[in-house]
Each structure stands twice: as C-alpha cells, then as structure tokens.
Amino acid sequence: MLLPFSASAGFGVDKPGGRPCLNLLTDDSCRIHATLREDGWPGCTVFECFGAGQQVSQVTYGGTSWREQDNLAEMAAVLSVMRQLHEMLVHLVEVARRSPDPAADVVRAEIEQLTGADPEALLLADVDALHERVGRLLSEASARVRRPWPAAQDRTRADLAGRRLAGDHRGWSFRGALLIAADLRGADLRDVDLLGADLRDADVRGCDLSSALFLTQPQVNGAIGDPATTLPEGLSRPARWDS
C-alpha cells in the first residue's frame, strides 16, 4: 500500500505510493502469494522490510491500520526510515556474533532506542550519519573476519555481471558488486563480504556460503541455488532451490 514499485523492477505493474496493490485482499493478504514468480512478480519475492513494517504498524502507530490512518504520506516516510534502521540492526547483530565490538554495541543500542520513537523523532533522525557510522563499523568487522585470507581479492563495487567466478574466493570482498547472473557454481564463498552485492539470478548452486558476511534474505531469494548450497544460520532456503 505505502511503497511505490514498478513493473521494470519485477512487480508486474507500475504502482505509485499510497495506492493499494491490485493483489491486496480485504484481509490484507496477497491474492497470488503462492505463485508470485510464476505470475510475473519476482520483485515481491526479494523484498524484505526486516520487520520494519510490523514495528511501524504495531509500535510507532500503536496498531492503527493504514486503512484508518489519515496521513499515509507520513506513514510511508516513517516506514522508509524504519526499514533502514532495521537493516542496520540486522548487520550489527551479525557483528556482535561474528566479531564483537563495543563501539558497534553502542551504535546498536542507539538505533534500537530510536526504533521506539514517535513519527516526528524518526523523521528528524539523521539516518545518513547513522549509515556512515554503521558502514565504518561493518568495514572494520569485515576486515577482522577476513584477516585469515591475506591473498583474498577486493572486488568491491566491481561489475561482474554474467561472469564465471568458480574456485576459491574465501575472504574476498564483493561489497556492492554487481553479480547479476554471475556463474559462481561450486565456488567456496566462506567469509566473503556480500554487503549490498546484487545477486539477482546469480548462480550459487553448490556454493559454500555458510560463513558469508552480511548476506541477507532478499539476496538469497534473488539468487539461483540448489540443495547443495549452504547458507549462514538464520537464512531460509527458497523452496524453488529444492525443486
């Protein structure tokens, strides 16, 4: 309802923000949820709000439905901020698990407190400054985790679309890399940094991603895997990978 989307991004049709999706039913469920890819809506399968939608609807607005909200523009703006905060928290939780850092814990606590604020405070928050601080902390954590692989290559923001990238890539940085339709079949991707990498249609069949850094569910959902693909704990294997 709140967010805009476009057919070119895999959402079937163009929709402006503030207009209900044509597949939205009166009970707020999706008419084609079980057949999104088959019906031409793959964009929905790779979108993730990281729990921001639930936080906004149940906490920020105290359970008030968008159907009852008289300022949808504000609600949409708040959702945009909350989604960024929740995504940062996901990565900071991973830092705490993989390479604990007191400085990261401090920022995480600040963000957690902010997620409970009212709409005005959320809209006034300097999210860009938070992104900068969190980005620096994630870079430092990544360097610590990947230190055992001194020969690892840095392919940060590299255009690797459609490339064949087999072999041992342990500890490599693919931060922000364009990996659309890249062929990574059988590659060893342990301890790789995949923060912000575009994995749409990347072929990761048989890959070991068990300790990949900053890999998210939307990235997994957009990739092509199989039963031999191993994922980090906490990420779900798309059903189509087992078909």
Side-chain angles (χ1 to χ4, degrees):
M1 169 63 192
L2 296 177
L3 301 179
F5 53 66
S6 65
S8 62
F11 288 94
V13 299
D14 295 332
K15 184 191 84 68
R19 180 183 299 174
C21 173
L22 59 86
N23 295 308
L24 182 66
L25 300 177
T26 55
D27 64 353
D28 291 335
S29 64
C30 173
R31 181 175 61 87
I32 60 169
H33 188 266
T35 56
L36 285 166
R37 284 188 173 271
E38 295 86 341
D39 291 343
W41 293 72
C44 293
T45 69
V46 299
F47 175 80
E48 175 65 59
C49 72
F50 302 101
Q54 293 89 332
Q55 181 76 9
V56 168
S57 61
Q58 299 302 314
V59 178
T60 312
Y61 288 95
T64 300
S65 167
W66 63 266
R67 300 179 190 275
E68 305 164 341
Q69 175 59 240
D70 58 2
N71 192 340
L72 290 179
E74 178 195 86
M75 198 178 217
V78 168
L79 175 60
S80 179
V81 171
M82 191 70 76
R83 184 178 182 276
Q84 294 178 72
L85 297 178
H86 274 229
E87 185 169 8
M88 285 187 272
L89 285 175
V90 167
H91 294 318
L92 288 171
V93 167
E94 183 170 358
V95 169
R97 179 173 60 84
R98 299 289 303 277
S99 183
D101 177 8
D105 293 339
V106 170
V107 178
R108 177 182 168 187
E110 289 179 22
I111 296 175
E112 287 176 340
Q113 183 175 15
L114 182 57
T115 61
D118 59 30
E120 182 178 3
L122 285 162
L123 294 176
L124 290 175
D126 191 342
V127 179
D128 288 339
L130 276 175
H131 267 300
E132 185 175 343
R133 293 171 65 193
V134 171
R136 185 167 55 252
L137 291 165
L138 299 187
S139 292
E140 293 169 355
S142 175
R144 292 193 297 272
V145 171
R146 295 184 297 112
R147 191 171 294 145
W149 317 108
Q153 294 187 29
D154 185 354
R155 305 310 301 271
T156 298
R157 292 185 292 278
D159 184 351
L160 302 170
R163 294 273 298 277
R164 173 63 173 150
L165 298 165
D168 186 347
H169 302 315
R170 285 177 293 179
W172 284 30
S173 174
F174 289 109
R175 280 190 160 218
L178 195 65
L179 290 164
I180 296 175
D183 186 351
L184 291 150
R185 285 174 296 171
D188 190 339
L189 300 174
R190 284 176 289 175
D191 291 345
V192 297
D193 187 338
L194 289 169
L195 182 69
D198 193 335
L199 294 174
R200 286 175 293 169
D201 293 325
D203 193 336
V204 294
R205 287 176 290 179
C207 288
D208 188 344
L209 287 156
S210 60
S211 59
L213 282 162
F214 310 128
L215 180 65
T216 63
Q217 193 64 53
Q219 290 171 301
V220 171
N221 292 347
I224 299 169
D226 65 6
T229 305
T230 55
L231 294 173
E233 183 180 350
L235 294 182
S236 301
R237 181 184 306 277
R240 63 192 178 91
W241 284 16
D242 296 320
S243 61

